[in-house]
């Protein structure tokens, strides 16, 4: 158990795999009470099952972050179950990295809808609760792609830059009661790397994943660090990347 994390009510999107799954386990082991969201019910159930089998407190809610009602349902579940929401981790994401010439408009739309609209849906759902409580924390998962743009990551990097800008804008408006944190990972060993792409790019991403990626627990540690700070201390921004990443 961790003094600052034990009992904290955390809603987390993208909890069915990768960084979200690792973060759920990290926080559960420290005594957080979790409300986990993702679209794949079977994978979500497996994560919830593993946490509860280990004595942790977690419930799963099927959530598509592109849908406003789903984010409201996630937040409402936390409030109904625990009477409050302390942290919303907006982690859901999709890495449809393709060259512009491929014209993967569905992939572009998915990234805009997931990273930009999805983040805004989370803010709209949680902000009124945080204001009512006069406390709460947004933890938004960005990417090093928002700091160094590398082809063919243009659209992905643009949406993650939007995450960075929205997070800083929200922080400035949040006032003294709320905390707003951006956690920007570099190459992380998850199933999401290369998932939304094909051909040479998929091969390159897979090669990078094998060669240099850090474990998702590295990002979970960073998210946990931001959450475990005492009230009144806001870790605004963490960039966490493999040492081997240029
Ligand atoms: N891995 C990396 O190298 C890396 C680097 C920098 C940043 N990131 C960011 O880290 C975050 C997590 O990615 P990951 O690497 O852990 O990949 P991942 O294993 O593919 O995880 C992505 C998660 O997001 C969920 N998700 C995707 N679209 C969703 C939607 N519309 N609604 C709800 N949930 C959705 C997925 O679950 P369902 O499919 O079940 O919905 C899954 O749980 C993303 O924001 C990603 O951009 C990753």
């Amino acid at each position: 158990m961790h003094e600052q994390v034990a009992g904290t009510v955390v809603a987390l999107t993208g909890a069915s795999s990768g960084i979200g799954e690792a973060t759920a386990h990290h926080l559960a082991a420290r005594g957080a009470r979790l409300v986990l969201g993702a679209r794949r019910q079977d994978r979500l159930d497996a994560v919830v099952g593993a946490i509860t089998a280990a004595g942790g407190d977690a419930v799963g809610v099927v959530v598509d972050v592109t849908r406003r009602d789903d984010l409201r349902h996630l937040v409402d579940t936390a409030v109904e179950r625990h009477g409050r929401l302390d942290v919303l981790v907006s982690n859901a994401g999709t890495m449809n990295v393709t060259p512009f010439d491929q014209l993967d408009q569905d992939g572009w739309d998915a990234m805009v809808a997931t990273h930009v609209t999805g983040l805004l849906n989370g803010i709209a759902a949680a902000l009124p609760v945080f204001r009512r409580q006069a406390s709460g924390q947004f933890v938004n998962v960005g990417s090093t792609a928002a700091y160094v743009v590398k082809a063919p990551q243009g659209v992905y990097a643009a949406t993650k830059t939007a995450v960075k800008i929205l997070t800083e804008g929200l922080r400035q408006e949040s006032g003294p009661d709320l905390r707003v944190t951006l956690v920007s990972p570099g190459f992380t060993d998850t199933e999401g790397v290369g998932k939304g792409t094909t051909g040479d790019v998929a091969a390159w991403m897979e090669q990078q994943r094998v060669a240099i990626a850090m474990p998702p627990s590295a990002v979970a540690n960073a998210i946990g660090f931001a959450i475990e700070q005492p009230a009144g201390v806001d870790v605004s921004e963490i960039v966490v990347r493999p040492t081997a990443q240029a």
Side-chain angles (χ1 to χ4, degrees), residues 13-21 37-44 63-67 70-71 90-95 110 113-115 141-145 156 160 183-193 195 205 209 213-214 216 219 245:
T13 67
S16 59
S17 62
I19 290 167
E21 179 179 6
R39 294 166 302 180
R40 289 170 296 175
Q41 171 121 45
D42 56 335
R43 295 287 298 265
L44 204 50
V63 167
D64 181 339
V65 298
T66 68
R67 298 167 56 91
D70 286 11
L71 262 306
S90 292
N91 164 73
T94 179
M95 291 173 270
T114 310
H115 303 151
V141 175
S143 170
T144 51
Y156 177 73
K160 287 299 186 175
V183 175
S184 297
F187 250 108
T188 309
D189 186 0
T190 70
E191 66 179 47
V193 174
K195 204 181 198 178
M205 290 184 80
R209 189 182 67 75
M214 59 190 175
V219 187
Q245 183 173 331

Side-chain angles (χ1 to χ4, degrees), residues 180-215:
V180 184
T181 301
L182 176 69
V183 175
S184 297
F187 250 108
T188 309
D189 186 0
T190 70
E191 66 179 47
V193 174
K195 204 181 198 178
T197 189
T198 54
D200 289 351
V201 179
W204 177 81
M205 290 184 80
E206 173 61 12
Q207 185 274 333
Q208 289 289 291
R209 189 182 67 75
V210 171
I212 69 164
M214 59 190 175

